[in-house]
Amino acid sequence: MSEVREPRVESAHVSPFAPVAPDPLSIIEVEWDDPRGLRLRAEMDAEMGELYAERFATMPPESIPPMQDAFAIDPADIVTSIVVLDGDVAVGHAALRAFGDQLEVKRVFVARDYRGRGVSKLLMRELEIIARSGGVRTLILQTADLQIDAIRLYEGLGYVPIPSFRGYEVVPGSLCFGKELF
């Protein structure tokens, strides 16, 4: 893996009057167990734990195992895992997981200090490019109702609500989205 990719920027979003400066961000494909990806996913887990703490605290104990099953990831199902680097520092992560003839977007996360800079859009666009290059027609994903910025991101990129899949219906507040790539 470890292929370095330059970020793909659509020229329509660049003003001809904007100052030209080198963009230090790059995208690399990494193994699922790469320490940079592991660190960012741990940060995501901590953040989601805080965001949903109250909800999880009031759930009946028997509802936890089905949720854990829905969120479990077998590394063998990961098609690709990418990180965005600012120099040598990993600042964003995302992955694609096989799901029938579709791919599921997983673990999109941007470090707090890099939010609002387009890193999540960069990740999502790169995943779409990877999926298209593999002939995949549809990307699907799951998020939840308290992740307002994520919902806005996905809707802004053309993802539309779809029925729940992969057992996510047991997750309170779960929202699923999909996008046709062709």
Side-chain angles (χ1 to χ4, degrees):
M1 273 187 180
S2 293
E3 176 186 335
V4 177
R5 295 191 181 126
E6 288 302 312
R8 301 179 200 300
V9 179
E10 293 181 18
S11 59
H13 295 284
V14 178
S15 166
F17 305 107
V20 178
D23 188 350
L25 298 180
S26 60
I27 298 173
I28 62 170
E29 189 171 4
V30 297
E31 296 293 333
W32 180 251
D33 62 355
D34 182 272
R36 295 164 293 192
L38 290 171
R39 179 184 57 79
L40 288 166
R41 291 193 307 269
E43 287 179 29
M44 180 181 189
D45 289 343
E47 189 173 314
M48 293 303 104
E50 289 175 25
L51 182 62
Y52 291 98
E54 186 175 314
R55 184 174 290 172
F56 293 150
T58 61
M59 293 177 64
E62 64 274 7
S63 65
I64 302 300
M67 279 185 28
Q68 289 171 329
D69 288 344
F71 288 127
I73 296 176
D74 180 349
D77 292 339
I78 298 298
V79 173
T80 190
S81 179
I82 59 175
V83 295
V84 172
L85 299 175
D86 182 359
D88 292 332
V89 179
V91 300
H93 174 274
L96 290 172
R97 171 167 66 170
F99 187 71
D101 62 350
Q102 304 170 333
L103 290 176
E104 179 185 4
V105 174
K106 292 302 299 173
R107 308 297 288 196
V108 177
F109 182 75
V110 175
R112 286 183 196 258
D113 291 345
Y114 283 81
R115 293 183 187 162
R117 299 183 188 185
V119 175
S120 59
K121 288 179 185 168
L122 188 65
L123 286 163
M124 291 299 295
R125 287 189 177 121
E126 185 67 16
L127 292 179
E128 290 176 8
I129 290 165
I130 292 167
R132 277 189 199 100
S133 71
V136 174
R137 300 185 63 81
T138 307
L139 285 183
I140 56 176
L141 60 87
Q142 181 274 341
T143 190
D145 58 345
L146 299 182
Q147 292 163 258
I148 304 303
D149 290 337
I151 295 165
R152 285 187 190 132
L153 168 71
Y154 302 136
E155 290 177 338
L157 292 174
Y159 288 77
V160 296
I162 61 170
S164 189
F165 63 95
R166 200 186 281 273
Y168 292 126
E169 63 276 351
V170 302
V171 179
S174 181
L175 302 169
C176 294
F177 293 87
K179 181 177 181 179
E180 295 298 321
L181 301 176
F182 294 101

